[in-house]
Amino acid sequence: MKAPLHGKMMEVPLTVSSLLAHASRHFGTTEIVSKRIERDVHRYTYRDCEKRAKQLAQGLIALGVEAGDRVGTLAWNGYRHLEAYYGTTGFGAVCHTINPRLFPDQIAYIVNHADDRYVLFDITFAALVDVLAPQCPNVRGWIAMTDEAHMPRMSTAASSYEALLAQHDGDFEWPAIDERCASNLCYTSGTTGNPKGALYSHRSTVLHAYGASLPDAMGLSARDSVLPVVPMFHVNAWGIPHAAPLTGAKLVFPGKDLDGKSLYELIEAERITCTAGVPSVWLGLLRYVKENGVRFSTLDRVIVGGSALPPAMLRTFKDDFGVEAVHGWGMTEMSPLGTLSTLNCEQAQRSADEQRRLREKQGHVVYGVDMKTVGASGQALPWDGVTFGELYVRGPWIIDRYFRNDVSPLVDGWFPTGDVATIDNDGFMRIVDRSKDLIKSGGEWISSIDIENIAVAHPAVAEAACIACFHPKWTERPLLIVVKHPDLDLSRDDLLRFYEGKVVRWWIPDDVVFVDELPHTATGKLHKLKLRERFGDHILPPDQKVEQ
Ligand code: ADP
């Protein structure tokens, strides 16, 4: 066979530093705005950011950090954290973002497993660092992201980030790096077992940033003012800190105040057009705007992912506030973007009901991701919107292995997500459940997500979780655990009646337990494991007549 003809194009590596270099050169005066821990607002530009990221790189190199070394961060969304994203990866080190909401023991495990050389931390986490430091003997230094004047009192010998930067002038060229080298490291939250590391490469990160920016993904552009509410310690804030410099969008960081009032005021003050985060933060924002009778003047779309977007929330955003809620799905192992629920021309001509049904799903893939659902014997399932099976994915920004683990998680080249889903004729995927959260009643499956979505559509329900509860005849039956709106009345029977006509009879939960609050994981999802431990043996009322 004839040898293929090679293209005659430049081989420019896809490096993370090139994203910031591009923004600094071509959108040099575009702003990056941060609410600081100190509660003031900090403003500078992409050009300033690149200079300081270079100062940080010089500082870390002077401290002996080498290409391939991991540098941890324990920080909120802010400009110094952004500098850390680029000041580490820019010279070949790996930016390891650590979720501070995990238990200290888990964090210590992660820091040690990653073998972090240095850890940069926001001063809010000073006490946490004092707990971690004795457990992490291989960390050479802990660097507080503040100036000398604001250094916290600590038992750990920490140094000041600003003092480190002040020793360097930023006169530094980002070195050429092989695009297959590691750039970022994120651990899954490990609700079961130890956390596992997803080690992204420069190439996968840049490709993901391209994918995330596409019009039918987050649709970012230089006309946007984007607010990542999703934390930078949670899968790189879904890629926004990379996609914003790629597109030249203005970046706004909320710091640590994620309550409805703080978010609303920031959205208005900085003329935010696009924001992204998990459903629980939007509950707070929507409550604030409703209670105060205020409107959004610039907000165009909210990317909602991490957990299922309740249909009631989608409707409220659209019908009451004219804001598009775009449902997205992904996971740490996928950098994280997989699917988004934007419509094509033909779908946008369908009836309002049909459009809504599509938008409620987790959506279509972004180029770069392929997906399929498989049955029990590994066979590919039809795309009929009804048949469900385990969701498998593959693509250039999906992991091949976990960090420091030689066992491949792949099955025939595909990554099994652990989610159970349907795919319809339009290529829209719907997550039925996480496989471990599905409720198996008498051998038939019930989707806990569907049961929760109906509950939160009831005006008196603030939040709801559905778990499997032991049943002597059916093995498992659904139990609903509910947080009521404080000023509204709701009884168990009212809520169970609300299900009639919305699901088949045997899907209706057997009982309802009212609680003051529901436990959440470190990434803001319902902590089903904890709920199962607490309520899995709840005694169900005897008069239940389930007919399947
Ligand atoms: P973890 O919470 O385990 O750390 P991730 O943050 O990577 O992991 O979460 C990935 C998982 O979150 C997915 O596999 C899926 O179960 C769930 N998830 C993410 N987005 C959605 C969504 N839009 N709807 C339903 N589930 C989602």
Side-chain angles (χ1 to χ4, degrees):
M1 212 171 49
K2 239 168 88 176
L5 187 59
H6 275 242
K8 297 279 178 212
M9 307 306 283
M10 293 186 195
E11 295 234 340
V12 178
L14 303 176
T15 57
V16 169
S17 61
S18 69
L19 298 168
L20 185 59
H22 166 75
S24 162
R25 196 166 151 77
H26 302 286
F27 300 100
T29 56
T30 297
E31 271 189 318
I32 299 170
V33 180
S34 311
K35 278 270 281 288
R36 296 209 296 184
I37 314 298
E38 298 84 351
R39 292 237 155 69
D40 58 347
V41 174
H42 173 274
R43 294 176 182 277
Y44 72 172
T45 64
Y46 276 119
R47 194 168 296 141
D48 303 325
C49 177
E50 190 189 30
K51 172 144 188 289
R52 279 172 51 90
K54 287 182 168 181
Q55 287 171 262
L56 174 61
Q58 289 173 310
L60 292 172
I61 292 168
L63 288 172
V65 179
E66 295 182 51
D69 285 347
R70 272 76 66 196
V71 176
T73 65
L74 272 170
W76 302 109
N77 292 9
Y79 68 105
R80 290 186 181 115
H81 204 173
L82 188 69
E83 291 159 11
Y85 264 51
Y86 288 95
T88 50
T89 54
F91 70 96
V94 176
C95 181
H96 169 209
T97 47
I98 307 164
N99 186 339
R101 294 190 184 129
L102 295 170
F103 288 119
D105 281 356
Q106 267 182 321
I107 301 180
Y109 170 88
I110 288 174
V111 170
N112 291 329
H113 189 269
D115 200 14
D116 289 332
R117 283 282 153 271
Y118 283 84
V119 176
L120 310 172
F121 64 96
D122 267 337
I123 51 177
T124 1
F125 302 119
L128 174 62
V129 167
D130 279 342
V131 175
L132 295 174
Q135 297 181 57
C136 304
N138 291 338
V139 173
R140 289 194 202 138
W142 300 82
I143 303 176
M145 299 173 92
T146 188
D147 53 23
E148 296 273 25
H150 291 90
M151 283 298 286
R153 279 179 178 280
M154 299 175 67
S155 54
T156 312
S159 59
S160 152
Y161 178 89
E162 290 300 337
L164 179 68
L165 263 61
Q167 292 165 28
H168 300 279
D169 58 9
D171 185 9
F172 180 79
E173 288 290 316
W174 298 122
I177 293 171
D178 181 334
E179 65 180 23
R180 291 165 302 182
C181 287
S183 64
N184 297 73
L185 175 63
C186 292
Y187 281 74
T188 60
S189 62
T191 353
T192 50
N194 273 329
K196 294 193 284 262
L199 184 65
Y200 312 120
S201 65
H202 284 264
R203 174 185 154 82
S204 73
T205 304
V206 172
L207 291 176
H208 178 266
Y210 267 119
S213 306
L214 287 172
D216 284 315
M218 296 199 202
L220 291 188
S221 92
R223 291 176 298 282
D224 276 311
S225 174
V226 56
L227 173 73
V229 175
V230 50
M232 290 168 80
F233 54 73
H234 190 197
V235 218
N236 296 324
W238 299 350
I240 294 172
H242 300 122
L246 180 146
T247 54
K250 171 180 165 183
L251 250 179
V252 181
F253 291 120
K256 69 180 193 28
D257 297 325
L258 307 181
D259 59 284
K261 179 173 191 290
S262 305
L263 289 179
Y264 176 75
E265 287 172 357
L266 196 59
I267 287 170
E268 288 302 295
E270 298 304 328
R271 304 186 60 76
I272 300 299
T273 53
C274 175
T275 180
V278 295
S280 52
V281 297
W282 307 129
L283 279 179
L285 177 68
L286 287 173
R287 195 176 315 128
Y288 177 82
V289 289
K290 277 190 211 159
E291 281 172 10
N292 292 277
V294 288
R295 317 269 320 155
F296 297 106
S297 23
T298 52
L299 188 62
D300 173 57
R301 62 205 182 278
V302 179
I303 317 293
V304 188
S307 307
L309 160 65
M313 182 179 281
L314 181 112
R315 277 197 301 274
T316 308
F317 267 122
K318 179 85 181 153
D319 301 347
D320 300 353
F321 297 99
V323 172
E324 208 67 75
V326 179
H327 196 183
W329 166 87
M331 59 199 306
T332 307
E333 289 88 339
M334 302 175 67
S335 299
L337 281 193
T339 62
L340 288 125
S341 67
T342 52
L343 306 186
N344 68 22
C345 291
E346 181 272 318
Q347 291 154 352
Q349 303 299 315
R350 299 187 194 168
S351 72
D353 266 3
E354 177 58 17
Q355 289 186 39
R356 194 173 34 75
R357 267 197 293 279
L358 281 176
R359 285 188 173 280
E360 286 171 6
K361 298 188 179 191
Q362 278 72 5
H364 55 79
V365 294
V366 177
Y367 167 79
V369 176
D370 193 8
M371 66 179 173
K372 64 174 180 180
T373 45
V374 302
S377 48
Q379 79 283 18
L381 297 175
W383 290 23
D384 57 10
V386 182
T387 315
F388 60 80
E390 190 176 356
L391 183 63
Y392 281 37
V393 290
R394 66 176 173 195
W397 59 72
I398 296 169
I399 63 156
D400 175 51
R401 300 273 152 123
Y402 288 100
F403 181 47
R404 299 178 72 185
N405 186 336
D406 284 338
V407 184
S408 170
L410 306 192
V411 178
D412 297 332
W414 292 77
F415 178 76
T417 63
D419 285 334
V420 174
T422 62
I423 305 176
D424 67 17
N425 210 10
D426 287 297
F428 271 55
M429 183 272 286
R430 186 175 80 85
I431 298 280
V432 175
D433 225 327
R434 270 194 170 187
S435 55
K436 57 183 184 294
D437 295 339
L438 270 173
I439 298 155
K440 199 166 190 186
S441 173
E444 296 289 342
W445 297 110
I446 299 175
S447 156
S448 67
I449 296 182
D450 286 0
I451 303 296
E452 289 156 8
N453 280 342
I454 294 173
V456 297
H458 191 292
V461 172
E463 204 181 5
C466 180
I467 59 159
C469 185
F470 174 74
H471 189 282
K473 175 166 179 202
W474 303 108
T475 316
E476 290 181 0
R477 286 293 303 153
L479 171 71
L480 192 61
I481 306 160
V482 168
V483 180
K484 275 192 264 198
H485 273 299
D487 36 0
L488 295 174
D489 255 0
L490 179 67
S491 71
R492 165 193 183 274
D493 292 344
D494 284 344
L495 186 51
L496 294 183
R497 259 197 305 277
F498 188 64
Y499 279 88
E500 284 168 15
K502 297 190 173 77
V503 284
V504 285
R505 275 203 67 79
W506 61 274
W507 274 44
I508 300 180
D510 282 27
D511 204 2
V512 181
V513 177
F514 292 100
V515 292
D516 291 337
E517 62 177 335
L518 287 168
H520 292 95
T521 67
T523 51
K525 298 171 214 247
L526 288 168
H527 206 319
K528 297 262 176 103
L529 194 65
K530 247 192 198 153
L531 287 170
R532 279 194 291 265
E533 278 166 14
R534 190 163 153 213
F535 295 104
D537 294 326
H538 172 86
I539 309 290
L540 296 169
D543 59 339
Q544 210 55 42
K545 291 187 193 66
V546 180
E547 282 163 35
Q548 289 194 192

